[in-house]
Amino acid sequence: MGWGVKRSMVGDRLECRFEVCPRIGRGAVRTNLLLALLLLLAGPSGAQSEVRADLPASAVDLHTHVFNAGYLPVEGIMVSRGVPKVVARLLARFLESRVEFADLSQSRDELFAADLLNPLELSEAQAKAELFNRGDLPDLTSRQRRQLRRYLLEASPEADQDLDRLSDEELVARGLEEAPLTADGGKNTFRFLLLLLRDEVTIVRTLRDEYPIGRFVHHMMDLEKAYDDRPILEFRDEQIPRMQALGEIFPDELVWFVAFDPFRRDQSLEIVKAAVRGGAAGIKFYPPSGYRAANNDIPKKPRWYQRAKRKQWKSRYRDLRDADLDRINDRLFAWAAERGVPILTHCTPAGFEASKGYGKMSDPDHWKPVLDKYPNLRIAFGHGGGGEGWFAEAPWDLARPATYGEKVYALVTQYENAYLGVGYWDEILDGDPAKDYRGHLQRRLERLIDRSGDPYRLGDKMLYGTDWHMVSKLDDRRRLLTEFLDLFDQPQLRPWRDRLFVGNVERFLNLTE
C-alpha cells in the first residue's frame, strides 16, 4: 500500500487528495543484456540516491518530463533547427526504429521483476555502442552521405574535412551528436539519446533512481502542429491514454499535466477537458511553440525560398488571426480559472523554440492582462523567467523590471494565485568563485523572500523543480537537489524550505489531505 494522489471533479472544480492506494499498475520493462554488461563494466551504479535527512518526506519536483522520442516529432524538430530534410529524416528514422514502449498490459509486479539499468550511468562510449547495437543500420545512399557530410561541415567547421573515409555508422553518430534536440541547442550526448529511447516506465524508474524525492509532476508536450510532423504516438488517442496508465503504475509518485496546443484550434480545449477527466492534474502551456498568452501577433510568413520554415508556419497559423489565438487561449483560461485547474507555463526568453525568437512569446508581460481578467487562475511560471536575472550581480530596479525574472517576481508578489517555478537553474552548479552565481542568488533571495510591502510573499510562491530529463545532459545534475537544500539551509531562508519543497506546491496543485 502507499499514498496516492486521487483527482476528481467536485461540482465544477478539480480537487486532488492524498489517499492510501494499492501499488498496482500496468507496464513492462525490456531487459537488455548488453546494457547490463556495460553497466557492470562501468562499475557499481544504479542505486537510488541517498535520502537526506533534511529533505521533507513529501517533497515534490514540480517540473519533470518522462516521455520518450516516440512522443516527439523528431524530424520536424531537427528541420526547425536547420538540419536538411534528408539528414533529419535519416536521423529521425534511426532513432524511431530503436524506441521502446512499455507493455501496459502487464502488472506492476511483472514490470518491476527486471532490475533497473540506468543509461545515464554509462560512459559516452558505452552509450554509443548500446545505441548502435539496438538494430542494423541500413546502407546510406550516396545522396544521404553527401547531405550528411555537408551538414556536418556546416554545423561544426572544425570537423574533420576528410569525412569521406568515415563509415556510415560514424557519419550517423556524428549527425546524432550535432542535430539539436534540446532547448539549449547544444550537442546531444549519447546517454541522453539512449534515455529518450527507453520505454516510459523505465524512464520514470530512472528518474526515481536519480532523485530521492517523493513525487514528480510530469509535463506532456503536444508539438505535432508546431513542427508539422506527427510523432510515432498520436497525442490525443495514444499519448494521453498512456499517461493515464503510467499514473496508475506510479499512483503515489507521479502526477501529470496535459499539454495545451492552440494550433489544434477548436479541439484544443476539448482535448484538455477530456484529459483532466481522465486524471491529468493540470495543464502545460508552452509559448515557444509560437503563441502568447494574450495580445498575440502572428509572425510573418517565411520567405518563399524557406520551404521547410514556410511549411511549418502554415501548420501553425493557416487561417488563424491574432484574435483567433487570443480567443482560443482565453477559453482555456476561463475554464481553468472556474474549475481550479492549475497551469504551468514555460517562462524564459528562449526555450524549446519552434522557430528562432519564439521564446520571447513567453514574456511575463503577456500574462498581466490574463491575471487581471482571471484573478482565480492558478498559474506557475516555469523556470521563474530564467536564470539571467536571478543569478546576476546587478541589483534589480523593481520600479522598471527588465529581465523576465524581475517581471515574474512582480507578478507572483502581486497576484494571489501566481507562482514561481524553479527549473533548470543550472547556474547554481557553477562553483567558479569569480562568477559567484550561488552567492548572487542567495543574497537576492534573502532580500526578496519576505520583502516588506509586497501583497504576497515570495517565500509563499516558490516551487521546486529540475526540468528533468532535460537536465540529464549535465554530469552533475544530481547536485541540483543538494544545492537547493543547502541554499535553503541558510538562516534567512531556512524558514521557507518546507514551503519550497512541499507546502507551496500542494497549494498550487490544489492538494487536500
Side-chain angles (χ1 to χ4, degrees):
M1 305 291 285
W3 282 98
V5 181
K6 181 178 181 181
R7 289 162 288 278
S8 58
M9 298 302 294
V10 178
D12 289 331
R13 295 183 63 80
L14 176 69
E15 184 171 287
C16 305
R17 68 175 64 247
F18 297 124
E19 290 189 356
V20 176
C21 56
R23 289 173 171 267
I24 58 174
R26 297 165 292 167
V29 176
R30 290 178 51 191
T31 302
N32 190 297
L33 296 178
L34 176 61
L35 182 54
L37 176 60
L38 291 173
L39 283 167
L40 287 172
L41 293 173
S45 64
Q48 187 168 7
S49 303
E50 182 180 352
V51 179
R52 286 182 44 152
D54 55 347
L55 178 67
S58 54
V60 180
D61 185 333
L62 181 73
H63 195 158
T64 68
H65 305 283
V66 297
F67 50 71
N68 64 22
Y71 290 67
L72 300 173
V74 176
E75 180 182 329
I77 291 171
M78 290 182 178
V79 168
S80 76
R81 309 294 179 86
V83 181
K85 183 80 171 178
V86 171
V87 175
R89 177 162 296 175
L90 167 67
L91 300 177
R93 297 301 176 266
F94 175 87
L95 293 174
E96 290 167 354
S97 69
R98 287 158 170 76
V99 179
E100 298 174 347
F101 297 100
D103 179 358
L104 300 180
S105 66
Q106 290 188 335
S107 69
R108 182 178 174 115
D109 288 341
E110 291 173 310
L111 169 66
F112 280 75
D115 292 334
L116 173 66
L117 304 173
N118 184 347
L120 298 178
E121 296 297 333
L122 295 173
S123 69
E124 277 295 278
Q126 291 167 338
K128 177 181 174 183
E130 164 64 11
L131 192 67
F132 280 88
N133 275 293
R134 285 177 164 250
D136 295 330
L137 176 66
D139 292 336
L140 303 187
T141 66
S142 58
R143 183 187 183 207
Q144 287 173 329
R145 285 187 62 89
R146 185 171 62 253
Q147 292 271 13
L148 189 47
R149 289 196 303 269
R150 182 183 302 167
Y151 168 67
L152 290 173
L153 288 172
E154 292 175 354
S156 185
E158 70 278 7
D160 183 2
Q161 301 296 307
D162 193 13
L163 294 173
D164 284 334
R165 297 184 180 180
L166 295 182
S167 65
D168 287 356
E169 179 177 310
E170 191 57 38
L171 275 175
V172 170
R174 292 199 186 186
L176 290 170
E177 286 183 293
E178 292 291 345
L181 274 179
T182 56
D184 62 11
K187 287 189 176 183
N188 302 310
T189 67
F190 289 112
R191 288 190 297 261
F192 175 69
L193 292 175
L194 190 57
L195 178 66
L196 285 181
L197 301 183
R198 304 311 301 272
D199 70 82
E200 309 95 321
V201 176
T202 300
I203 290 176
V204 176
R205 294 182 69 197
T206 302
L207 171 57
R208 293 168 69 236
D209 174 70
E210 295 254 306
Y211 293 105
I213 282 186
R215 293 190 305 280
F216 306 90
V217 181
H218 159 63
H219 296 273
M220 301 185 72
M221 299 286 281
D222 182 9
L223 303 176
E224 177 182 339
K225 301 299 181 182
Y227 292 91
D228 189 36
D229 180 27
R230 179 172 173 172
I232 294 175
L233 299 178
E234 199 278 328
F235 184 75
R236 178 173 56 185
D237 296 331
E238 294 177 293
Q239 292 190 27
I240 290 177
R242 293 184 75 83
M243 284 303 109
Q244 293 170 339
L246 205 61
E248 294 174 10
I249 294 167
F250 298 97
D252 49 354
E253 297 118 329
L254 185 67
V255 178
W256 59 284
F257 276 34
V258 65
F260 171 80
D261 178 17
F263 301 138
R264 292 190 180 272
R265 278 65 171 182
D266 290 338
Q267 296 181 25
S268 303
L269 181 56
E270 299 310 311
I271 291 173
V272 166
K273 287 180 178 179
V276 170
R277 288 194 299 268
I283 303 159
K284 179 65 179 286
F285 193 88
Y286 205 78
S289 287
Y291 53 87
R292 300 173 178 176
N295 303 321
N296 274 279
D297 183 10
I298 293 176
K300 292 182 179 179
K301 186 186 299 185
R303 296 184 180 276
W304 64 269
Y305 54 83
Q306 298 173 296
R307 294 178 59 188
K309 291 184 179 295
R310 281 175 69 91
K311 193 168 182 289
Q312 292 188 343
W313 185 95
K314 290 179 181 179
S315 177
R316 299 176 205 124
Y317 304 117
R318 188 194 305 271
D319 300 326
L320 278 181
R321 300 169 301 168
D322 300 341
D324 295 327
L325 277 175
D326 288 342
R327 174 185 57 81
I328 293 169
N329 290 347
D330 188 75
R331 289 178 61 219
L332 171 75
F333 303 145
W335 180 83
E338 180 182 357
R339 288 160 177 81
V341 181
I343 296 174
L344 185 139
T345 182
H346 175 90
C347 188
T348 73
F352 205 79
E353 299 175 300
S355 187
K356 189 172 179 58
Y358 280 17
K360 293 181 180 179
M361 297 189 190
S362 302
D363 194 322
D365 288 345
H366 301 315
W367 284 97
K368 192 175 188 310
V370 176
L371 292 171
D372 285 337
K373 185 175 182 179
Y374 300 109
N376 291 330
L377 182 65
R378 190 174 284 108
I379 180 78
F381 293 91
H383 310 284
E388 175 190 4
W390 292 100
F391 291 91
E393 180 179 9
W396 286 359
D397 182 357
L398 296 178
R400 290 182 294 275
T403 67
Y404 284 17
E406 292 171 81
K407 294 178 181 182
V408 169
Y409 170 81
L411 291 176
V412 303
T413 55
Q414 293 295 319
Y415 293 90
E416 180 180 5
N417 294 302
Y419 292 80
L420 185 154
V422 172
Y424 215 136
W425 280 12
D426 58 319
E427 292 93 340
I428 201 171
L429 301 176
D430 191 331
D432 186 344
K435 298 176 182 176
D436 194 23
Y437 286 144
R438 160 72 182 268
H440 296 328
L441 176 63
Q442 179 178 329
R443 289 185 286 274
R444 176 158 283 117
L445 290 176
E446 288 172 344
R447 288 194 299 270
L448 299 177
I449 203 158
D450 193 15
R451 181 171 175 263
S452 175
D454 286 339
Y456 301 97
R457 298 178 300 184
L458 176 64
D460 289 323
K461 296 303 193 73
M462 293 186 71
L463 312 170
Y464 177 74
T466 57
D467 198 15
W468 196 95
H469 43 48
M470 294 298 111
V471 297
S472 64
K473 290 174 62 175
L474 304 174
D475 289 335
D476 49 359
R477 61 193 175 277
R478 293 190 183 191
R479 282 183 44 226
L480 285 168
L481 177 59
T482 300
E483 290 294 333
F484 274 96
L485 282 169
D486 290 345
L487 175 64
F488 276 79
D489 197 37
Q490 304 307 307
Q492 286 183 249
L493 301 180
R494 190 178 301 126
W496 307 95
R497 184 179 57 193
D498 284 2
R499 288 178 234 198
L500 171 72
F501 287 102
V502 184
N504 295 343
V505 72
E506 288 184 351
R507 192 167 64 253
F508 170 68
L509 292 175
N510 198 28
L511 295 174
T512 58
E513 297 207 31

